[in-house]
Amino acid sequence: MSKLIYLDNAATTKTAPEVVEAMLPYFTEYYGNPSSVYSFAAQNKEVITQQREIIANALGAKTEEIYFTAGGSESDNWALKATAEAYGNKGKHIITTKIEHHAILHSAEYLEKRGYEVTYLDVDEYGVVKLDDLKAAIRPDTILISVMFANNEIGTIQPIKEIGEIAHEHGILFHTDAVQAFGQVPINVDECHIDMLSASGHKLNGPKGIGFLYIRKGVKIRSFVHGGAQERKRRAGTENVPGIVGIGTAIERAVRTMQERTKKETEVRDYLIKRVLEEIPYTRLNGHPTKRLPNNANFSFQFIEGESLLIRLDMKGICGSSGSACTSGSLDPSHVLLAIGLPHEIAHGSLRLTLNEEITKEDIDYVVDSLKEIVAYIRQMSPLYED
Amino acid sequence: MSKLIYLDNAATTKTAPEVVEAMLPYFTEYYGNPSSVYSFAAQNKEVITQQREIIANALGAKTEEIYFTAGGSESDNWALKATAEAYGNKGKHIITTKIEHHAILHSAEYLEKRGYEVTYLDVDEYGVVKLDDLKAAIRPDTILISVMFANNEIGTIQPIKEIGEIAHEHGILFHTDAVQAFGQVPINVDECHIDMLSASGHKLNGPKGIGFLYIRKGVKIRSFVHGGAQERKRRAGTENVPGIVGIGTAIERAVRTMQERTKKETEVRDYLIKRVLEEIPYTRLNGHPTKRLPNNANFSFQFIEGESLLIRLDMKGICGSSGSACTSGSLDPSHVLLAIGLPHEIAHGSLRLTLNEEITKEDIDYVVDSLKEIVAYIRQMSPLYED
Amino acid sequence: MYSAKVMDHFEHPRNVGEIEDASGVGTVGNAKCGDIMRIYLDIDENQIIKDVKFKTFGCGAAVATSSMATEMVKGKTVQEAMEVTNKAVMEALDGLPPVKVHCSLLAEEAIHAALWDYAQKNGITIEGLQKPKSDIHEGEEDEAEEY
Amino acid sequence: MYSAKVMDHFEHPRNVGEIEDASGVGTVGNAKCGDIMRIYLDIDENQIIKDVKFKTFGCGAAVATSSMATEMVKGKTVQEAMEVTNKAVMEALDGLPPVKVHCSLLAEEAIHAALWDYAQKNGITIEGLQKPKSDIHEGEEDEAEEY
Ligand SMILES: Cc1ncc(COP(=O)(O)O)c(C=O)c1O
Ligand SMILES: Cc1ncc(COP(=O)(O)O)c(C=O)c1O
Ligand code: FES
Ligand code: FES
């Protein structure tokens, strides 16, 4: 296929060539184990500290508050399960939302089976958590509030600062899954009263298989992966040095380019949204119109099933994703789309397009033109359309 | 430093250039998320299956029995904690050994705090588990036996087949931490009745931050990392495609070169052992004389502390490791050296040298000559030497 | 993910459309689950299926199996059409991914539902044909267990 | 890991050796924990440390602090030698990694133990000097709590 318009940057991103460049020496040249005594490994130890500094700076955090993991899922599992454990004698109630990533939701379910109680907050039609609901859900035995910074499907950005303040006032730990937001919106852990924050390398042009968990100093959290004394004895396993260099370099890059990049993306995305809503009937935008990730657009096309749409887009060289159950072979469409109140049949016809800085308006024109044609084609073979 | 003789291949290895080569396209070219619908990601899905096949073939296992993880530590944590959970209603007794890696030992301690009972088997002076002890330790409520294939410090290879048979006869699950052995000795999971096996990429010239857990079909194990439906719903997290390609390529290479490589390493290692024992007084070899990993030599030099030795070797461009407590800043020297019966003061003076295929006898001559000089120098300033 | 045959039938689905005054129409599936399939049969007096059309709301496999199934029953007698099982359709498509097997079941059911409709209208019985569990014309919500 | 100064003193330790008929000898540490330090002092009638030697079984930091500490007390009066604390030694070495601070404590203790030995032998008191807790000549095993 000649043309490739990659509009699935929320699923994963291209590792930036400069990131790969930075990683390369750590495979075959400085391959030593950072825990070693000899000077051959000193460079590795040093470079890990540097990456920690870059990340800490990006968040307004301290160097020793950054703990490397294998990705967003591990960070989320760690944050939930190991704080639940550490604070279990203080209380067994956790508050999260209905629109979290499965790494949070399934960890929460795991805890529910082990005697914890979890409140899953509703969201409004735009996917925003209602602060009053949050306040009402707080109990004396609430030990943790976990609310994602921005949603991976509909891109809605939560009022994290307000949530952090509520948590702080009640002396409750606050974790945020910032896997989608970090690198796209400025984040300061102190301003937002964030105690823990999950992030993943491959969502911001870093490598796959590396992430981190920010843990505020003073938070008693247990280990999730037990073993060696790496990461200040909190996360075992030989350090993934190339991965760490990769995520550090990617974050440095993301922070440096954030303003310009997201400005451009927002403009192109808004152009996309405008054209789609104006030119394709029976279509809605999912997520908040303005409080959304700069690169996220999410539509529902009535009478259409998502996988069919994705495959036809693919035939035109366009990569997107869908909340349809059919893409995953499960019965229920995306829990996020259901949580914002979409009926099942409409949730099935959703399409998420997530941009990167290289996408131009010309690309978007091609995408929208293709989309119009495809949506019309699928609709004419849909038994629902005429109904 | 001009000269570099890297003799710490048990800590980590150089990623083979051909492995890096194989990984590279998956960073910037085929970067798609393997769970996606579009054909751009099909290559990724395909290549992951290929790696699984390579690994399954290497072990005599089935493709769908290989689950990728972030490394040996995660595999060990997963194997212990999640089987304990799944079989907890059958029994709460686990058998392991005193010489396991901390990833096993600390996971076992974690389980002990949660109502499980763990028997830590002693080993003989060579570090070999006594089969009679194992048999005697088995109880009706024993659900899991976890014995490492080969020890990371002293290189001793366990009678895995016999252990597997005992486990099998009693209907008890058998896990082995093969992080050090895989790629160095042939392993067949059926012959050895292995139900679960941990391995790590960076120990066999693959990348850091990737490993796998072999789980025999039919073993009920829970997830350790909860979230998305990756790895047949058993291990969440966007697949580390470059890492998976890296470990697969490395394993293919390790299996292909095993016979020739280990033959050469054994020869060079035996030359090293012979010269050291003959030429340096008050020295002993730790581990089994023959049933040991082909690339492992482990010595204790009386009257000497390990870190000092390592730093002086480093000054000569030689990278080794030690079981001394001083290298880690803890009080107790290696639990493995203590388990084989070394007194503390002798355990402190230990040195592990682990070869790779590039090490020549000439290198070894330089190492032994340096070692003689350094050991003599440190001894003359030791208050213990004259005693 | 999909075989070349599946992709071909998905990309160029055969027999899309409707038949006015069809001899039999069957609609199965459930929009909530993301799949609805409707099949129209035009059957002559010799019980031969002269024409067949379909409309499908569903995934790639659903579209491809609809297309293939309609191709396979066209020109057959109603009795022969009974042999167009989901297995036969899948084989003709060079297989489907395991999670997509239920979509091919839908095609079989849709044909059966259309045949049932035809049989009902004409007061005949077709050997082996049972009342479809999930024709949407009868009670809507009771078919979720199937897959 | 170690500063250049530490590495220098480790690589070229000053004052390694023994002093026969020393005015005071102190041995501290514990071989089980991987560190033993012995300091020999040659003190003249004006209570000036004319010479000092050491022997150390221990890590890089232990060797370097022994070396630096001996340098720092040489030529000093016994009273001045009391000011050579582990902090002073660490500063002179441009710092030590946190896990290695206890090794510098050992150097301070070894000097104190040697001074105590000297004071005992000569029946004098040195201001601020207390009986060393961990001189190996007295009861061997009770010093582990220190670090
Ligand atoms: C025997 C053994 N098990 C487990 C591990 C842990 O592997 P990793 O560091 O890749 O997590 C290691 C290496 O450190 C090892 O030698
Ligand atoms: C919001 C959110 N949290 C967590 C994750 C999991 O991250 P990873 O796949 O890197 O484990 C993702 C991405 O899949 C995500 O979008
Ligand atoms: S129609 Fe939903 S999976 Fe095929
Ligand atoms: S002497 Fe053991 S750590 Fe310094």
Side-chain angles (χ1 to χ4, degrees):
Chain A
M1 185 187 318
S2 55
K3 207 174 183 94
L4 181 77
I5 301 187
Y6 183 74
L7 291 174
D8 202 13
N9 289 280
T12 195
T13 58
K14 172 157 121 182
T15 311
E18 65 189 272
V19 169
V20 181
E21 209 57 54
M23 293 168 71
L24 276 179
Y26 296 92
F27 287 110
T28 51
E29 209 173 326
Y30 307 115
Y31 54 85
N33 189 318
S35 306
S36 313
V37 166
Y38 36 79
S39 48
F40 170 57
Q43 159 85 358
N44 286 0
K45 218 172 305 184
E46 176 81 11
V47 83
I48 292 179
T49 307
Q50 281 163 12
Q51 308 314 305
R52 245 190 268 277
E53 272 165 20
I54 290 171
I55 299 171
N57 283 344
L59 290 169
K62 298 186 198 70
T63 310
E64 67 274 17
E65 294 175 326
I66 307 299
Y67 298 85
F68 291 110
T69 67
S73 299
E74 186 193 324
S75 299
D76 283 347
N77 274 258
W78 186 9
L80 253 69
K81 295 179 187 170
T83 33
E85 215 173 84
Y87 292 84
N89 53 359
K90 205 191 137 205
K92 291 193 183 284
H93 180 236
I94 293 169
I95 300 173
T96 184
T97 80
K98 289 203 173 140
I99 62 162
E100 299 296 310
H101 189 266
H102 282 130
I104 292 290
L105 291 179
H106 291 167
S107 293
E109 282 160 26
Y110 171 92
L111 290 171
E112 283 185 293
K113 289 201 195 104
R114 269 148 206 83
Y116 289 83
E117 261 183 276
V118 182
T119 301
Y120 300 91
L121 297 176
D122 282 317
V123 292
D124 68 16
E125 59 180 312
Y126 299 117
V128 181
V129 166
K130 298 169 215 160
L131 298 176
D132 286 341
D133 284 9
L134 170 62
K135 282 183 206 154
I138 290 174
R139 312 190 321 203
D141 62 340
T142 307
I143 51 173
L144 176 67
I145 296 172
S146 180
V147 177
M148 70 201 317
F149 208 110
N151 183 269
N152 44 311
E153 294 190 35
I154 56 174
T156 301
I157 298 172
Q158 300 297 335
I160 290 299
K161 197 173 161 196
E162 289 75 8
I163 296 171
E165 273 162 13
I166 294 169
H168 191 64
E169 274 162 28
H170 289 80
I172 299 169
L173 287 181
F174 176 38
H175 166 258
T176 187
D177 175 345
V179 166
Q180 291 290 339
F182 188 47
Q184 294 215 61
V185 293
I187 302 181
N188 183 294
V189 289
D190 283 346
E191 266 173 33
C192 297
H193 296 291
I194 295 167
D195 295 307
M196 291 177 284
L197 177 145
S198 305
S200 187
H202 70 100
K203 304 284 186 184
L204 36 67
N205 303 105
K208 296 174 172 67
I210 185 83
F212 71 83
L213 182 64
Y214 156 80
I215 307 175
R216 184 179 290 280
K217 223 176 149 171
V219 171
K220 292 181 299 171
I221 186 174
R222 300 285 162 75
S223 286
F224 177 60
V225 180
H226 290 88
Q230 292 91 353
E231 299 298 290
R232 312 176 73 231
K233 302 199 183 161
R234 283 182 141 172
R235 200 279 192 178
T238 303
E239 294 89 340
N240 178 357
V241 186
I244 291 170
V245 171
I247 192 174
T249 309
I251 289 169
E252 188 278 316
R253 179 181 174 278
V255 170
R256 174 165 41 81
T257 63
M258 191 186 304
Q259 210 175 355
E260 200 179 337
R261 173 169 44 89
T262 56
K263 183 162 164 275
K264 191 191 154 199
E265 283 174 1
T266 309
E267 207 179 294
V268 178
R269 178 204 68 189
D270 288 343
Y271 177 70
L272 164 67
I273 293 175
K274 187 157 173 287
R275 273 205 65 188
V276 168
L277 293 183
E278 279 177 6
E279 299 178 32
I280 306 184
Y282 304 109
T283 297
R284 55 165 279 157
L285 175 73
N286 298 315
H288 198 279
T290 55
K291 282 183 247 162
R292 69 188 305 137
L293 290 174
N295 74 342
N296 174 295
N298 189 309
F299 305 102
S300 286
F301 302 102
Q302 256 181 282
F303 321 121
I304 275 193
E305 189 281 323
E307 189 193 289
S308 282
L309 181 58
L310 291 188
I311 303 179
R312 288 198 188 273
L313 282 170
D314 183 31
M315 287 168 177
K316 304 234 175 216
I318 300 165
C319 301
S321 91
S322 163
S324 169
C326 299
T327 55
S328 61
S330 79
L331 273 183
D332 276 327
S334 146
H335 63 286
V336 176
L337 299 178
L338 297 181
I340 60 170
L342 292 198
H344 276 70
E345 46 276 41
I346 293 184
H348 276 289
S350 78
L351 174 69
R352 178 184 72 181
L353 299 176
T354 43
L355 284 60
N356 60 43
E357 62 211 285
E358 285 162 24
I359 301 295
T360 61
K361 285 197 182 169
E362 287 66 48
D363 293 330
I364 295 302
D365 282 333
Y366 173 77
V367 169
V368 177
D369 293 346
S370 305
L371 206 46
K372 279 166 73 171
E373 191 185 310
I374 293 169
V375 167
Y377 181 83
I378 300 181
R379 279 181 178 162
Q380 60 80 27
M381 74 158 102
S382 169
L384 299 171
Y385 190 42
E386 51 197 345
D387 282 0
Chain B
M1 185 190 313
S2 52
K3 209 178 182 89
L4 180 76
I5 302 187
Y6 184 72
L7 291 174
D8 202 13
N9 290 281
T12 195
T13 58
K14 173 156 120 182
T15 311
E18 66 190 89
V19 169
V20 181
E21 209 58 52
M23 293 167 71
L24 276 181
Y26 296 92
F27 286 110
T28 51
E29 208 172 326
Y30 307 114
Y31 54 84
N33 190 319
S35 306
S36 313
V37 166
Y38 36 79
S39 49
F40 170 58
Q43 159 85 355
N44 287 1
K45 220 171 304 184
E46 176 81 11
V47 83
I48 293 179
T49 307
Q50 282 162 11
Q51 310 313 304
R52 246 190 268 278
E53 270 164 22
I54 291 171
I55 299 171
N57 283 343
L59 290 169
K62 298 184 197 71
T63 311
E64 67 273 18
E65 295 176 324
I66 306 299
Y67 297 85
F68 292 109
T69 67
S73 299
E74 186 193 321
S75 298
D76 283 348
N77 274 257
W78 186 9
L80 253 69
K81 296 178 186 171
T83 31
E85 214 173 86
Y87 291 85
N89 53 358
K90 203 191 137 204
K92 290 194 181 287
H93 181 237
I94 293 168
I95 300 174
T96 183
T97 80
K98 288 201 173 143
I99 61 162
E100 299 296 311
H101 189 268
H102 282 130
I104 291 291
L105 291 179
H106 291 167
S107 292
E109 283 161 25
Y110 171 91
L111 290 172
E112 283 185 290
K113 289 199 195 107
R114 268 149 207 84
Y116 289 82
E117 261 184 275
V118 182
T119 301
Y120 299 91
L121 297 176
D122 282 318
V123 292
D124 69 15
E125 60 180 313
Y126 299 117
V128 181
V129 166
K130 299 169 215 160
L131 298 177
D132 286 342
D133 283 10
L134 169 62
K135 282 182 207 156
I138 291 175
R139 313 189 319 204
D141 62 340
T142 307
I143 52 173
L144 176 68
I145 295 172
S146 180
V147 176
M148 69 201 316
F149 209 109
N151 184 268
N152 45 310
E153 293 190 37
I154 56 176
T156 301
I157 298 172
Q158 300 297 335
I160 290 298
K161 197 174 161 193
E162 288 76 7
I163 296 171
E165 273 162 12
I166 294 170
H168 191 64
E169 275 163 26
H170 289 79
I172 299 169
L173 286 182
F174 176 39
H175 167 257
T176 187
D177 175 346
V179 167
Q180 292 291 337
F182 188 49
Q184 294 215 60
V185 293
I187 302 180
N188 183 294
V189 289
D190 283 346
E191 266 173 34
C192 298
H193 295 292
I194 296 167
D195 295 308
M196 290 177 285
L197 178 146
S198 305
S200 188
H202 69 100
K203 305 285 187 185
L204 37 65
N205 303 104
K208 295 175 173 66
I210 185 83
F212 71 83
L213 182 63
Y214 157 79
I215 308 174
R216 184 178 289 281
K217 223 177 149 172
V219 172
K220 290 180 299 170
I221 186 175
R222 300 284 163 77
S223 286
F224 177 58
V225 179
H226 290 88
Q230 293 90 352
E231 300 297 289
R232 311 176 74 230
K233 302 197 182 161
R234 283 181 144 174
R235 200 280 193 178
T238 302
E239 294 90 340
N240 178 356
V241 186
I244 290 170
V245 171
I247 193 173
T249 309
I251 289 169
E252 187 280 317
R253 179 180 174 278
V255 171
R256 173 165 42 82
T257 63
M258 191 186 304
Q259 209 175 357
E260 199 179 339
R261 173 169 45 89
T262 56
K263 183 163 166 274
K264 192 190 154 198
E265 283 174 0
T266 308
E267 206 180 295
V268 178
R269 178 203 68 188
D270 288 343
Y271 178 70
L272 164 67
I273 293 176
K274 187 159 174 286
R275 274 205 64 190
V276 168
L277 293 183
E278 279 178 8
E279 299 177 34
I280 306 183
Y282 304 111
T283 297
R284 57 164 278 159
L285 175 72
N286 298 315
H288 198 280
T290 55
K291 282 183 249 163
R292 70 187 305 139
L293 290 174
N295 74 341
N296 174 294
N298 188 308
F299 305 102
S300 285
F301 303 102
Q302 257 182 280
F303 320 122
I304 274 193
E305 188 281 324
E307 189 193 288
S308 283
L309 181 58
L310 291 188
I311 303 179
R312 285 194 192 277
L313 282 169
D314 183 31
M315 287 168 178
K316 304 234 177 216
I318 300 165
C319 300
S321 91
S322 163
S324 169
C326 299
T327 56
S328 61
S330 78
L331 273 182
D332 276 326
S334 145
H335 63 286
V336 176
L337 299 177
L338 297 180
I340 59 170
L342 292 198
H344 276 70
E345 45 276 43
I346 293 184
H348 276 290
S350 78
L351 174 69
R352 178 185 72 181
L353 299 176
T354 42
L355 285 60
N356 60 45
E357 62 211 284
E358 285 163 24
I359 301 296
T360 62
K361 284 196 183 171
E362 288 66 47
D363 292 331
I364 295 302
D365 282 332
Y366 172 77
V367 170
V368 178
D369 293 346
S370 305
L371 206 47
K372 278 166 74 171
E373 193 187 308
I374 293 169
V375 168
Y377 181 84
I378 300 181
R379 279 181 177 161
Q380 60 81 28
M381 73 157 102
S382 169
L384 299 171
Y385 190 42
E386 51 197 345
D387 281 2
Chain C
M1 169 175 172
Y2 289 130
S3 72
K5 278 252 179 76
V6 173
M7 287 308 291
D8 176 38
H9 276 266
F10 173 77
E11 197 170 347
H12 310 288
R14 284 57 146 177
N15 309 313
V16 173
E18 303 173 23
I19 297 176
E20 272 180 55
D21 304 318
S23 324
V25 180
T27 308
V28 296
N30 184 339
K32 276 182 85 168
C33 306
D35 29 32
I36 291 191
M37 213 177 273
R38 178 176 304 155
I39 293 221
Y40 302 82
L41 297 175
D42 179 13
I43 302 173
D44 71 8
E45 57 289 356
N46 299 322
Q47 300 200 352
I48 288 173
I49 297 169
K50 305 267 290 192
D51 197 11
V52 48
K53 295 278 181 201
F54 81 89
K55 286 212 162 183
T56 288
F57 166 81
C59 72
V63 172
T65 50
S66 313
S67 167
M68 177 57 91
T70 52
E71 282 286 275
M72 287 171 79
V73 298
K74 202 191 266 185
K76 299 251 166 77
T77 65
V78 295
Q79 200 58 58
E80 285 165 348
M82 287 299 293
E83 279 153 39
V84 179
T85 59
N86 82 303
K87 250 189 90 183
V89 174
M90 282 210 297
E91 264 165 34
L93 285 169
D94 295 339
L96 282 177
V99 294
K100 295 296 186 181
V101 172
H102 72 275
C103 316
S104 68
L105 266 170
L106 221 56
E108 180 186 312
E109 285 170 17
I111 291 172
H112 287 192
L115 288 172
W116 181 263
D117 183 38
Y118 159 73
Q120 291 289 94
K121 281 181 184 157
N122 295 279
I124 57 171
T125 18
I126 300 170
E127 211 190 302
L129 182 65
Q130 286 163 6
K131 186 167 180 302
K133 280 175 287 183
S134 57
D135 192 316
I136 282 181
H137 297 232
E138 346 238 326
E140 280 234 292
E141 299 285 280
D142 54 358
E143 73 294 333
E145 302 83 60
E146 258 113 278
Y147 344 125
Chain D
M1 172 175 174
Y2 289 130
S3 71
K5 278 252 180 75
V6 173
M7 286 308 292
D8 176 39
H9 277 266
F10 173 77
E11 196 170 348
H12 311 288
R14 284 60 147 175
N15 309 313
V16 172
E18 303 174 22
I19 297 175
E20 274 182 51
D21 303 320
S23 322
V25 180
T27 308
V28 297
N30 183 339
K32 275 182 84 169
C33 305
D35 29 33
I36 291 192
M37 212 177 273
R38 178 175 303 153
I39 293 224
Y40 302 83
L41 297 175
D42 180 12
I43 302 175
D44 72 8
E45 57 287 359
N46 299 322
Q47 300 201 349
I48 286 174
I49 297 167
K50 304 267 291 191
D51 199 10
V52 48
K53 295 278 182 202
F54 81 91
K55 286 212 161 181
T56 288
F57 166 80
C59 72
V63 171
T65 51
S66 312
S67 167
M68 178 57 90
T70 53
E71 282 286 274
M72 287 171 80
V73 299
K74 202 192 269 185
K76 298 252 166 78
T77 65
V78 296
Q79 200 57 57
E80 286 166 347
M82 287 298 294
E83 279 153 38
V84 179
T85 60
N86 83 303
K87 249 190 91 182
V89 175
M90 281 211 297
E91 265 165 33
L93 286 169
D94 295 340
L96 282 176
V99 293
K100 295 296 186 179
V101 172
H102 73 275
C103 316
S104 68
L105 266 169
L106 220 58
E108 181 185 312
E109 285 170 18
I111 291 172
H112 287 190
L115 287 173
W116 181 264
D117 182 39
Y118 159 75
Q120 290 289 92
K121 280 180 185 158
N122 296 280
I124 58 171
T125 20
I126 300 172
E127 213 191 299
L129 182 64
Q130 285 164 6
K131 186 167 180 300
K133 280 176 289 183
S134 57
D135 193 316
I136 282 182
H137 297 233
E138 348 234 329
E140 280 231 294
E141 299 285 279
D142 53 358
E143 73 296 331
E145 303 81 61
E146 255 112 279
Y147 345 125

